[in-house]
Amino acid sequence: MNKKKMIPYFYLLPITLIFCILMVYPICQVIGFSVKDNVIVNPNPQFAGMENFSRIFHAPEFWKALGNSLKFSVVSLFFHITLGMVFALMLNSDLINSRFRGLVRALYIIPWTFTVSIVAILWRLMLNNSGIVNTVLGLSVDWFGNRDLAMKAVIFVNIWCSYPFYLISILAALQGVSTVYYEAASIDGANGIQKFIKITLPHVKPVLISLTLLDFIWSMQQLSLTYITTGGGPIGSTETVGTYTYNLAFKSYQFSTASASAAVMMLLCLVMDIFYVRMQNRVDG
């Protein structure tokens, strides 16, 4: 191989090294910890095989956390796609004057400009007993401290801060649909619902598939929002796999068991990643 063919690989070398240091090595280390016992504190941990995984699978708390993660992901996914589609259709239509359309778009994406930690802190302040939400509604409810309402409140905050990404993605797909299709459909007597089903959905289907799979993966891995708002409480009502793993490692100091929990979650996300890549190849093909 001559020098000219080697040049592109040298350009990729820095980012490849960074990727290996920050991603590949930690992943391999966690997998190694998951099959050992008494790691971190013991310089020579013993090989434990599948014992840590067995401990995880026999723990009711893990299955409850997994169920909460699935609930969190599915409900968030439904509202992300639904709200994103509704607002994107509205912004792509003539319902909003073209002069104010840019301003409205900017207002819609404001929640997306905040970091997760800022969003969590703001909503904790607004949803506490003396927060602005209770003041306006005339209530006295600790939304994040109530066992029946905590998960609903966390899901609501997640939907609020994330839907602009789906709005923008779907809006971009809608703007790529030629108006010729809609004009021809109008001539043939199609109504709005028929246009949406026969024209809009087929054109945005690739984007919707990508968003659905990515959103499910991201939501299953969510940690920061849940941990800052509730810490997995009260009484485990908002415990997800992320907070369960974090608490195992940094509160109970069960690093081996926490590594096994993280490995299980990584495997689930890997399956979704493979499914995502296959769906993308099918759509592109």
Side-chain angles (χ1 to χ4, degrees):
M1 185 178 292
N2 56 41
K3 293 182 178 180
K4 288 185 178 180
K5 291 184 178 180
M6 289 293 295
I7 289 176
Y9 295 98
F10 284 112
Y11 288 136
L12 291 173
L13 184 60
I15 190 62
T16 303
L17 289 175
I18 294 174
F19 177 77
C20 290
I21 294 172
L22 298 181
M23 293 290 293
V24 177
Y25 174 72
I27 289 173
C28 293
Q29 191 174 43
V30 167
I31 294 174
F33 285 168
S34 68
V35 294
K36 295 179 181 179
D37 190 24
N38 198 22
V39 297
I40 305 294
V41 294
N42 187 349
N44 298 307
Q46 296 180 347
F47 181 76
M50 302 300 291
E51 182 179 342
N52 293 316
F53 291 95
S54 177
R55 194 175 303 158
I56 283 292
F57 291 139
H58 284 86
E61 296 82 5
F62 172 77
W63 294 108
K64 182 179 180 180
L66 182 60
N68 286 338
S69 293
L70 289 172
K71 178 182 177 181
F72 179 88
S73 301
V74 172
V75 176
S76 296
L77 169 62
F78 173 79
F79 282 101
H80 281 157
I81 299 299
T82 302
L83 292 177
M85 177 64 77
V86 170
F87 290 137
L89 288 171
M90 184 174 64
L91 291 174
N92 196 52
S93 67
D94 296 327
L95 294 175
I96 300 176
N97 191 296
S98 59
R99 296 180 181 180
F100 303 104
R101 194 170 295 170
L103 176 62
V104 174
R105 289 178 183 175
L107 292 175
Y108 274 134
I109 66 172
I110 284 178
W112 197 35
T113 61
F114 297 107
T115 62
V116 174
S117 57
I118 296 298
V119 169
I121 293 171
L122 285 175
W123 279 100
R124 279 193 65 180
L125 293 173
M126 291 191 292
L127 291 176
N128 63 25
N129 285 325
S130 57
I132 187 173
V133 173
N134 284 330
T135 301
V136 171
L137 297 177
L139 302 174
S140 180
V141 179
D142 185 3
W143 296 83
F144 290 121
N146 187 298
R147 187 177 182 181
D148 297 325
L149 298 175
M151 178 57 79
K152 297 180 179 64
V154 174
I155 292 174
F156 170 81
V157 175
N158 182 58
I159 294 169
W160 178 85
C161 69
S162 302
Y163 85 87
F165 172 76
Y166 304 90
L167 185 160
I168 294 172
S169 300
I170 297 173
L171 180 60
L174 289 174
Q175 291 179 339
V177 182
S178 176
T179 57
V180 174
Y181 298 111
Y182 296 103
E183 293 171 358
S186 297
I187 294 174
D188 291 338
N191 56 35
I193 297 177
Q194 291 173 327
K195 292 178 184 178
F196 177 76
I197 295 174
K198 298 295 184 179
I199 300 175
T200 303
L201 279 182
H203 280 86
V204 301
K205 181 181 176 181
V207 174
L208 292 178
I209 292 174
S210 299
L211 291 176
T212 299
L213 295 173
L214 287 174
D215 184 57
F216 184 81
I217 295 170
W218 291 340
S219 298
M220 286 293 291
Q221 296 176 337
Q222 179 62 258
L223 168 64
S224 302
L225 179 63
T226 307
Y227 193 81
I228 295 174
T229 51
T230 65
I235 320 177
S237 58
T238 60
E239 188 88 281
T240 62
V241 177
T243 57
Y244 174 76
T245 304
Y246 183 91
N247 290 330
L248 273 178
F250 301 107
K251 286 189 175 181
S252 301
Y253 303 108
Q254 299 180 34
F255 296 106
S256 299
T257 311
S259 297
S261 176
V264 171
M265 176 54 65
M266 183 180 65
L267 180 61
L268 292 175
C269 291
L270 180 61
V271 172
M272 292 301 300
D273 287 337
I274 294 173
F275 184 67
Y276 168 73
V277 172
R278 288 187 176 182
M279 291 298 296
Q280 280 294 97
N281 293 335
R282 185 179 302 177
V283 170
D284 295 338

